[in-house]
């Protein structure tokens, strides 16, 4: 941590940096610098960990005090930079070594500006000793802004995660099951047609469920599939149709026949149950 003065007119410092105070004022955490408050030089402590190198620290000093980067007041900036270096040296000598080269460069530029300017052959104006430093600062600022823009883009693991699902590649043809509503609908249709051909003749007829079961099995032996309605003869009347339907249900119950349907609302077919040899 180091001390610095803050007399900038415009405060561009973010209110919160990573959810933490970026400085302390008399031991209290400071999240935003007031524009109209004088802060003595020994009151503000800046976390050096926020700087990413000498150029970052130098750019901070220039932008914080609204200096023109193309006309840097080298004496003032160099003095502030050396104060930072002194504070770093007292706390972290290894970290201070990274900043000493920039400090030497600032002192050299400051010294060259005190000497008469030398003109270079072929150039009307003398070379500004700050030109190389300004170029490096501008390039660094552009790279820093570009890095900030890239950081705002969505990142895997930070902003979203990739999901993985397992898709079974094995395709098995499976016909839909025939439910009770399908049988009921087909049965109601057969009853409706049986009533259309009903006769007002009272007769007594002995009906055998077993006999109709045998008839249905014989019918299915001669065909692979038979449509559900083809197993009924509405012309013989409702009693025969009812007994025939009961016989069909008994065969299904004893797993002697199978009732299938290719898809929803498709015709219902009846066939003999498969029995392995």
């Amino acid at each position: 941590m180091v001390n610095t003065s803050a007399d900038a007119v415009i405060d561009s410092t973010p209110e919160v940096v990573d959810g933490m105070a970026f400085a302390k004022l008399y031991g209290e955490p400071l999240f935003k610098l007031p524009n109209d408050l004088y802060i003595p030089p020994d009151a503000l402590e800046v976390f050096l960990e926020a700087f990413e190198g000498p150029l970052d620290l130098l750019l901070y000093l220039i932008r914080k005090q609204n200096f023109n980067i193309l006309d840097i007041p080298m004496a003032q900036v160099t003095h502030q930079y050396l104060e930072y270096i002194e504070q770093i040296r007292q706390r972290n000598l290894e970290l201070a070594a990274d900043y000493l080269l920039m400090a030497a460069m600032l002192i050299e530029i400051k010294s060259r500006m005190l000497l008469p300017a030398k003109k270079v052959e072929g150039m009307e104006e003398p070379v500004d000793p700050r030109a190389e430093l300004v170029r490096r600062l501008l390039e660094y600022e552009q790279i820093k802004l570009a890095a900030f823009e890239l950081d705002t883009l969505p990142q895997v693991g930070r902003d979203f995660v990739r999901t993985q699902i397992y898709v079974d590649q094995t395709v098995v043809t499976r016909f839909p099951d025939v439910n009770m509503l399908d049988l009921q609908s087909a049965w109601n249709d057969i009853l409706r047609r049986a009533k259309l051909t009903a006769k007002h003749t009272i007769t007594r007829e002995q009906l055998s469920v077993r006999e109709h079961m045998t008839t249905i099995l014989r019918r299915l032996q001669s065909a692979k599939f038979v449509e559900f309605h083809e197993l009924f003869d509405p012309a013989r009347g409702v009693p025969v149709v009812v007994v025939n339907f009961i016989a069909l249900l008994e065969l299904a119950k004893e797993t002697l026949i199978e009732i299938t349907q290719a898809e929803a609302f498709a015709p219902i077919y009846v066939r003999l149950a498969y029995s392995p040899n």
Side-chain angles (χ1 to χ4, degrees):
M1 301 181 182
V2 298
N3 301 328
T4 182
S5 60
D7 53 357
V9 177
I10 299 176
D11 184 12
S12 60
T13 308
E15 295 185 2
V16 178
V17 179
D18 297 333
M20 298 175 60
F22 65 90
K24 286 186 177 181
L25 182 61
Y26 294 114
E28 296 296 330
L30 188 65
F31 294 97
K32 184 178 180 181
L33 293 179
N35 295 327
D36 57 349
L37 178 64
Y38 171 72
I39 302 177
D42 60 342
L44 182 64
E45 292 184 328
V46 179
F47 292 97
L48 292 176
E49 289 76 5
F51 300 119
E52 298 178 357
L55 284 176
D56 198 28
L57 172 57
L58 187 59
L59 185 63
Y60 168 80
L61 293 174
I62 295 172
R63 293 304 188 193
K64 188 64 179 177
Q65 301 174 89
N66 291 329
F67 292 149
N68 185 359
I69 196 171
L70 300 178
D71 188 17
I72 303 173
M74 294 305 303
Q76 187 174 354
V77 172
T78 302
H79 177 70
Q80 294 177 0
Y81 189 90
L82 292 177
E83 286 184 352
Y84 276 93
I85 297 300
E86 181 63 22
Q87 294 295 329
I88 297 174
R89 186 187 63 80
Q90 295 177 5
R91 292 172 171 80
N92 192 334
L93 184 60
E94 182 179 354
L95 181 63
D98 298 334
Y99 292 81
L100 291 177
L101 181 60
M102 178 60 68
M105 182 178 179
L106 293 176
I107 296 174
E108 179 188 2
I109 295 174
K110 178 182 176 183
S111 302
R112 289 171 59 188
M113 292 183 66
L114 297 175
L115 299 175
K118 294 183 180 180
K119 292 186 178 181
V120 180
E121 295 182 2
M123 298 181 62
E124 297 180 357
E125 297 291 335
V127 178
D128 191 342
R130 302 169 296 181
E132 178 63 20
L133 177 62
V134 170
R135 183 190 64 81
R136 292 178 59 184
L137 286 172
L138 291 175
E139 289 181 353
Y140 176 78
E141 188 174 31
Q142 292 178 355
I143 295 174
K144 187 175 182 179
L145 292 176
F148 177 78
E149 293 294 333
L150 289 175
D151 189 62
T152 59
L153 298 177
Q155 295 183 16
V156 178
R158 187 191 68 179
D159 303 302
F160 65 93
V161 294
R162 290 194 178 99
T163 58
Q164 297 181 353
I165 59 174
Y166 173 75
V167 179
D168 190 2
Q169 301 296 330
T170 305
V171 179
V172 179
T173 302
R174 184 177 182 273
F175 296 107
D177 297 331
V178 180
N179 55 37
M180 186 60 65
L181 294 178
D182 296 328
L183 287 176
Q184 183 180 2
S185 178
W187 169 243
N188 290 334
D189 184 63
I190 293 173
L191 285 180
R192 182 181 57 81
R193 287 185 292 165
K195 291 179 180 179
L196 294 176
T197 59
K199 298 179 181 179
H200 298 283
T201 303
I202 300 175
T203 58
R204 184 177 181 180
E205 183 180 1
Q206 296 291 337
L207 300 176
S208 173
V209 175
R210 287 294 175 182
E211 181 180 353
H212 281 267
M213 291 172 62
T214 303
T215 302
I216 293 173
L217 291 175
R218 289 176 180 174
R219 176 76 180 277
L220 294 176
Q221 287 177 353
S222 60
K224 187 174 182 180
F225 288 93
V226 178
E227 286 195 31
F228 183 84
H229 68 86
E230 293 180 359
L231 296 175
F232 300 88
D233 186 7
R236 297 183 61 182
V238 175
V240 176
V241 171
V242 172
V243 174
N244 204 33
F245 182 73
I246 295 174
L248 189 67
L249 294 178
E250 286 292 332
L251 290 173
K253 179 181 178 181
E254 296 177 10
T255 66
L256 296 175
I257 62 173
E258 292 180 358
I259 303 174
T260 61
Q261 187 180 35
E263 59 184 8
F265 306 108
I268 298 175
Y269 291 90
V270 182
R271 68 175 182 180
L272 291 175
Y274 173 76
S275 58
N277 297 329

